[in-house]
Amino acid sequence: MSALAKNPSLIVGVDLGTTHTVVAWAERDTDPGAIRVFPIPQLVTATEIEARPLLPSLLYAPLPGEAPADPFGDAPFALGEHARRRGGEVPGRLIASAKSWLCHPAVDRTAPILPWGAGDDAAALPRVSPLEASARILAHVRRTWDDAFPERPLAEQEVVLTVPASFDQVARELTVEAARRAGLSARLLEEPQAAFYDFMRLAGAQGLDDLLARSGGEAMVLVCDVGGGTTDLSLIRVARGAEAAGAPPVEVSRVAVGHHLLLGGDNMDLALAHLCEPRLVGAGEKLDPARFGQLVLACRAAKERLLGGGGVEPSAGGAAPAPPDEAPVTVLSHGARLVGGALTTRLGRAEVEGVVLDGFFPEAPADARPQRGRGGLVAFGLPYERDVAITRHVAWFFARHAPGSRGPTALLLNGGVFRARRVAERLAHAIERWGGPPLDVLPYADPDLAVARGAVAYGLALAGRGVRIEGGAARGYYVGLEPPAGGGPRPAVCVVPRGAKEGSVHAAAGRTFALVVGRPVRFDLFASDDARADRAGDIVPLEEDRFEPLPPVAVAFDAGDAARARAEDGKRAEVRVQIEGELTAIGTLDLACVEVGAPAPRRFRLAFQLREDGRGARAGEAEGGAPAERAPARPHAAATPGGKRLDEAREAIERVFGKGRPDVAPREVKNLVRELERVLGERATWTTETARALFDTLAPSARSRRRSADHERVFWSLAGYCLRPGFGDAGDPARVAALAPLFAEKLAFPQEARSWQQFWIAWRRVAGGLDEALQVAIRDLADPFLAPAEQRLKKPKGVKPEALDDLLELCASLERVPAGRRSELGAWVLERTWTDRDARLWAAIGRIGARVPAYASVHHVVSPAAAERWLDHLLREKWEELPSAAPAAVQLARRTGDRARDVSDRTRGEVERRLVKAGAPEAWVRAVREVVAVEEAERAAFFGEGLPVGLRLVGE
């Protein structure tokens, strides 16, 4: 990212919200009272432009033939109020909640997956990634600003961009990248802090003094920011300053921030949509995903009208208009513009308040904890929080971070939902019931504008014009170390302590590490918001309830001359380093290994992996994405790299595949795998490190596979086995990249059926590491041999593959192939089941149509319509004669909570009844009936064999 703007004349705050985007600004040399809101020009109809304080954070893809004006260069999308209106009228063409998608770990947030749930017939629909959608909104802001202030372009100003306090480092990095793509350099600020900056701006010195007087000299302020997509909680301490000369009269510090809660106005809109849906289509029926999206938007509009007054003081003065008693909710038919074929119902204000108050703000005692039920309010692919009771999350947050206190002394509310007086009063009442000190509910004018204005106030505070909130890093950051040989919790070293100041470099003092260079290495990172104070360099046990895993850092550093010399002497290339961490001025985390004991020490910077593609993906993801994590190796399981037995195994590979050796008999080639098992133990006991070390010995001699048919067969057998499942180790992307070109070369001995079998099996074993382009290339080769004859697909010249059943298993495992082509393959296989009773066919269909992928982003899942067609045929089969029938049915009918992936309730009910009748395990029945996490054994079964020891697949 480029550096922050030099010598800016303005400070500009941008609230890139889930629902709206707001921009505020002020001169750098002005007082906080002079902050102004920038009305953002936008389309309000297809031809009319207005400048409004709120820009809906939406992108609408116009229909073919629709030609809205494009004065801002937003094509092929329309943004603003016009996008909101048309998105509510035309199903399936609106991109909403891009901000929520930025923090969704089970999808590739850099892939064009939005609009989510668009049908297979929407091939011409323009799509963007969550990252690109956010960048487009910011680019619209930049262009309109530059038009209004041509002599003060936005890129040359100090831009403060707000994010939820609970955003993890990947979501923050993606936000910074979105700004960069829009041509902006931005500093990040947590939204609850921004809201409190706006409160301080409005209250002034006297207001803060009054707060302290009411709180007995020190105030503990709970900030509750309920936005469109997230609930953000922060605890801020306000105290009188030291009496020393030059000390500020008031000291403000952020004490804690809450966990990421994908819970906000969107969830309320969904709850209201579920309430209205049976009124529109009848009990037991459901709208398709696109029209349900319309319904959600219509419920949002009704909610805003019905709850839109009475809770805050309007900035313009005067009483807020009374909300109506009821509001219409209308969903248009497919293809309808404004009239004709519409479905309509009405929502009453009391009804909406009941859903919001009883569902989201119920009474919750001080010791309440969020419920961890299996089901959740889920839609549009986003993993919303399972317990929607915001009051329970607030109680748990406060109990964790203020264990000695019975309650906060003050409450600051932010977010449009608190415009409704009853909602604000309900939350305040729930907190007062904890029995703490009298609760001071702070005034919160204009919650839609407060965050953007507070971002500017923060920028002014940095320039010395206002009180600054101290507090530093909301979390401490740790690097995982090797587990102890005798067992026990894995240790980690603190590299950035909780509370670290921006720009302060922290070194793990007294801790020197050996950094392997010259080959890929992996750093497992963890974060903790625990109140315990760890210092940089402290070694602590990784306790599950205190730490959350971050995306690992996988890098390969240049060895340098000295390290290379040591490596040539047979030693591993290492350099001695200290780990340094810094919370940067823009709000992101910077980690590095700094060489020690060198005249000119090198600095090895560690960068987060932002792309979630199954290769080295973060642990703990929600559903798919095949999150992988290195678990501690089992004691005494097998040899590890560097041992004598491993050296002997490498020598065995070198004898067979190294430079031609006359003393290698043909039987030695055939028995290579058996020899490796004699040296290292059974293959099932090989650790990840051992398997990858064997692959690294084998891969450089890939051309030697052409020496004989046995060489070729053994090469593919060993290469696939040692690299399975294609991801999970730091060096796997490089290994897969080295292996990938060999697919195009196919076999040197194509007449050998066993070689074809091992060739297909090898690529199936590493499928999780193959990118979309290579998976499509495999399908291009395979399709002519798998398609029905009437398809008349042209077979490539000179290719006559054998072992087509193994080829089918490979193709069924290619989860990154576009959903349309995967549906096509499923249809071909289904046609074969009419005359072929081979159980492997239904096993393949189950993999192709699985609702939860084993490793790919969930946007690759085939449509529920295709899965239902296949289930319709499967339900007619005699399951007692097909051992693969029940497992395939579970994969096809598994409930995810995502309307864009789930089959109908009717079909799922039929599958559930059939599973019960067949005596299927209760866990299978439950997976069809309700949303449950995918077990490790289920994911491992996808790959057809055990994973390497030390590598496990994990779910949410």
Side-chain angles (χ1 to χ4, degrees):
M1 195 200 78
S2 58
L4 295 173
K6 296 181 180 180
N7 302 317
S9 60
L10 304 177
I11 297 173
V12 181
V14 180
D15 175 13
L16 181 62
T18 305
T19 307
H20 294 104
T21 295
V22 183
V23 179
W25 64 282
E27 302 279 351
R28 277 185 61 85
D29 58 357
T30 192
D31 291 324
I35 295 174
R36 289 175 278 181
V37 171
F38 171 62
I40 304 173
Q42 56 193 279
L43 287 176
V44 294
T45 69
T47 58
E48 295 178 291
I49 299 172
E50 284 186 19
R52 297 187 174 183
L54 305 182
L55 172 73
S57 300
L58 306 168
L59 283 73
Y60 167 72
L63 290 165
E66 207 176 352
D70 186 27
F72 311 114
D74 295 328
F77 296 96
L79 274 69
E81 178 62 21
H82 178 62
R84 188 190 66 79
R85 290 182 179 177
R86 288 298 287 156
E89 296 167 357
V90 183
R93 305 186 72 85
L94 186 71
I95 295 174
S97 301
K99 181 177 180 179
S100 297
W101 285 98
L102 278 183
C103 55
H104 187 355
V107 298
D108 183 350
R109 290 163 277 187
T110 65
I113 63 175
L114 304 177
W116 184 255
D120 293 340
D121 57 347
L125 180 68
R127 300 173 189 257
V128 295
S129 67
L131 173 61
E132 183 63 22
S134 301
R136 283 180 172 271
I137 295 169
L138 291 173
H140 178 95
V141 168
R142 181 182 59 79
R143 286 190 290 263
T144 55
W145 173 281
D146 291 350
D147 288 342
F149 301 98
E151 297 180 357
R152 290 176 160 183
L154 189 57
E156 296 180 8
Q157 310 311 316
E158 181 177 347
V159 177
V160 179
L161 184 59
T162 62
V163 294
S166 54
F167 254 22
D168 65 17
Q169 284 304 311
V170 169
R172 290 175 186 239
E173 295 275 2
L174 288 167
T175 303
V176 171
E177 173 63 15
R180 188 196 64 78
R181 292 190 180 191
L184 302 175
S185 299
R187 182 192 300 269
L188 301 184
L189 175 67
E190 298 168 4
E191 288 164 2
Q193 283 198 57
F196 197 76
Y197 270 111
D198 192 54
F199 162 75
M200 291 193 295
R201 177 186 73 87
L202 295 172
Q206 184 60 52
L208 289 176
D209 191 67
D210 292 344
L211 170 64
L212 290 173
R214 294 192 300 269
S215 303
E218 179 176 309
M220 190 65 74
V221 183
L222 173 64
V223 182
C224 183
D225 182 2
V226 181
T230 59
T231 290
D232 231 0
L233 304 174
S234 288
L235 204 55
I236 291 177
R237 174 180 172 272
V238 183
R240 299 196 185 278
E243 296 182 0
V250 175
E251 294 179 351
V252 184
S253 58
R254 192 253 289 110
V255 176
V257 301
H259 290 310
H260 184 70
L261 299 177
L262 200 58
L263 171 61
D266 286 354
N267 303 73
M268 300 172 196
D269 303 336
L270 284 167
L272 294 171
H274 284 293
L275 177 67
C276 290
E277 186 175 28
R279 301 179 187 175
L280 296 172
V281 297
E285 298 297 322
K286 285 193 172 184
L287 295 167
D288 61 60
R291 297 188 79 194
F292 187 74
Q294 279 186 295
L295 176 59
V296 171
L297 290 175
C299 288
R300 176 182 300 169
K303 179 197 71 178
E304 290 173 351
R305 288 187 63 194
L306 296 171
L307 300 184
V312 298
E313 302 170 9
S315 59
D325 292 330
E326 62 178 17
V329 174
T330 300
V331 176
L332 303 179
S333 65
H334 283 291
R337 295 289 177 137
L338 296 176
V339 295
L343 303 172
T344 300
T345 186
R346 302 189 74 81
L347 275 173
R349 176 153 47 90
E351 191 174 32
V352 172
E353 287 183 344
V355 168
V356 173
L357 293 174
D358 298 337
F360 293 85
F361 295 94
E363 294 287 346
D367 60 353
R369 298 294 181 268
Q371 297 175 358
R372 300 299 180 189
R374 291 192 179 94
L377 191 58
V378 182
F380 309 119
L382 288 168
Y384 289 118
E385 192 65 30
R386 290 183 172 179
D387 187 345
V388 300
I390 292 172
T391 43
R392 282 195 286 268
H393 289 285
V394 170
W396 185 50
F397 165 75
F398 192 83
R400 288 180 66 235
H401 295 290
S405 175
R406 299 179 64 184
T409 56
L411 174 67
L412 177 64
L413 303 174
N414 194 61
V417 67
F418 294 119
R419 287 187 177 279
R421 186 182 301 278
R422 288 192 63 197
V423 176
E425 290 173 346
R426 171 63 68 88
L427 178 57
H429 177 69
I431 295 173
E432 288 173 337
R433 291 285 299 271
W434 297 350
L439 187 65
D440 188 359
V441 180
L442 305 179
Y444 49 103
D446 289 332
D448 291 327
L449 309 179
V451 169
R453 294 188 312 209
V456 180
Y458 163 71
L460 292 172
L462 292 180
R465 295 182 174 274
V467 178
R468 183 174 178 184
I469 301 175
E470 304 293 341
R475 297 171 177 81
Y477 295 93
Y478 302 76
V479 174
L481 304 177
E482 289 298 320
R490 182 182 180 186
V493 59
C494 178
V495 291
V496 176
R498 182 171 174 267
K501 306 297 183 184
E502 290 181 2
S504 298
V505 177
H506 295 265
R511 308 289 183 185
T512 301
F513 301 90
L515 174 65
V516 177
V517 291
R519 69 176 180 86
V521 292
R522 166 175 166 149
F523 294 82
D524 292 325
L525 303 178
F526 301 85
S528 174
D529 63 355
D530 193 89
R532 193 178 82 182
D534 295 323
R535 297 172 299 176
D538 285 354
I539 303 293
V540 298
L542 284 173
E543 301 163 358
E544 185 176 351
D545 59 343
R546 282 191 59 215
F547 295 87
E548 60 175 316
L550 298 177
V553 172
V555 287
F557 298 122
D558 179 67
D561 294 339
R564 274 192 290 268
R566 288 195 297 271
E568 291 170 1
D569 291 338
K571 301 177 181 178
R572 190 163 65 168
E574 295 179 343
V575 295
R576 300 291 172 178
V577 298
Q578 277 190 337
I579 301 179
E580 290 185 353
E582 176 188 355
L583 184 67
T584 68
I586 64 170
T588 57
L589 183 65
D590 187 15
L591 297 177
C593 293
V594 181
E595 193 172 11
V596 297
R602 290 175 291 170
R603 192 172 192 271
F604 304 95
R605 185 176 181 274
L606 311 181
F608 284 100
Q609 298 173 331
L610 301 186
R611 176 181 290 273
E612 303 286 355
D613 59 0
R615 294 168 292 181
R618 66 176 291 180
E621 290 177 358
E623 295 176 335
E629 179 186 53
R630 286 191 305 169
R634 298 174 190 172
H636 313 298
T640 56
K644 292 182 178 179
R645 288 187 293 165
L646 182 61
D647 290 340
E648 187 178 347
R650 284 171 166 161
E651 171 60 22
I653 295 174
E654 289 285 357
R655 278 183 56 80
V656 171
F657 288 99
K659 295 181 180 179
R661 299 175 63 163
D663 59 336
V664 178
R667 180 161 295 280
E668 190 172 349
V669 178
K670 294 180 180 180
N671 293 339
L672 176 60
V673 175
R674 189 176 303 169
E675 172 65 12
L676 294 176
E677 288 189 301
R678 183 193 69 78
V679 174
L680 299 172
E682 295 183 3
R683 285 192 296 175
T685 67
W686 295 356
T687 65
T688 304
E689 291 83 354
T690 296
R692 297 307 193 259
L694 296 180
F695 179 88
D696 292 343
T697 305
L698 176 67
S701 302
R703 296 196 64 81
S704 299
R705 74 190 190 280
R706 296 177 172 271
R707 290 176 181 169
S708 70
D710 286 335
H711 278 86
E712 190 163 52
R713 176 179 52 79
V714 171
F715 174 88
W716 286 113
S717 173
L718 194 57
Y721 189 85
C722 291
L723 192 52
R724 75 195 197 286
F727 60 91
D729 184 81
D732 285 350
R735 295 183 181 105
V736 171
L739 191 68
L742 304 187
F743 179 81
E745 298 178 13
K746 305 178 187 66
L747 294 183
F749 301 90
Q751 70 280 6
E752 296 288 332
R754 293 177 64 198
S755 294
W756 278 113
Q757 182 183 42
Q758 292 303 323
F759 184 72
W760 302 135
I761 291 174
W763 290 106
R764 173 177 59 78
R765 283 170 165 164
V766 303
L770 307 180
D771 61 20
E772 181 176 332
L774 184 52
Q775 291 199 3
V776 169
I778 294 174
R779 280 289 307 274
D780 290 342
L781 174 72
D783 282 3
F785 303 97
L786 300 177
E790 58 268 22
Q791 294 288 328
R792 297 186 179 183
L793 299 184
K794 188 176 181 180
K795 297 179 180 179
K797 293 182 179 180
V799 179
K800 296 182 180 180
E802 302 281 350
L804 295 186
D805 289 336
D806 292 290
L807 175 58
L808 174 59
E809 285 192 46
L810 162 62
C811 291
S813 301
L814 301 178
E815 294 186 337
R816 293 195 179 97
V817 172
R821 288 195 65 176
R822 298 181 68 227
S823 292
E824 184 180 46
L825 176 63
W828 295 345
V829 180
L830 180 67
E831 186 174 329
R832 287 179 56 184
T833 65
W834 301 344
T835 56
D836 190 341
R837 306 294 296 167
D838 191 338
R840 289 178 294 182
L841 297 178
W842 278 111
I845 292 175
R847 288 184 174 184
I848 296 166
R851 301 297 83 200
V852 178
Y855 61 83
S857 169
V858 295
H859 76 276
H860 290 290
V861 172
V862 302
S863 71
E868 288 206 33
R869 288 195 298 270
W870 303 342
L871 280 168
D872 182 58
H873 287 273
L874 181 56
L875 289 168
R876 301 178 202 171
E877 294 281 1
K878 297 179 180 179
W879 285 21
E880 63 274 13
E881 299 176 3
L882 284 172
S884 61
V890 174
Q891 289 178 297
L892 293 167
R894 186 181 196 105
R895 187 171 186 178
T896 70
D898 179 4
R899 191 175 293 245
R901 284 186 284 157
D902 283 344
V903 298
S904 68
D905 291 344
R906 178 188 59 80
T907 299
R908 200 166 53 248
E910 291 181 17
V911 171
E912 180 184 343
R913 288 189 290 272
R914 191 68 178 272
L915 287 170
V916 172
K917 182 179 179 181
E922 174 58 28
W924 293 9
V925 178
R926 194 170 66 248
V928 172
R929 183 190 310 127
E930 57 193 73
V931 179
V932 296
V934 178
E935 299 294 336
E936 178 183 341
E938 295 178 76
R939 280 209 175 94
F942 172 90
F943 297 98
E945 60 200 333
L947 294 169
V949 175
L951 181 70
R952 62 187 178 93
L953 298 176
V954 295
E956 63 179 336

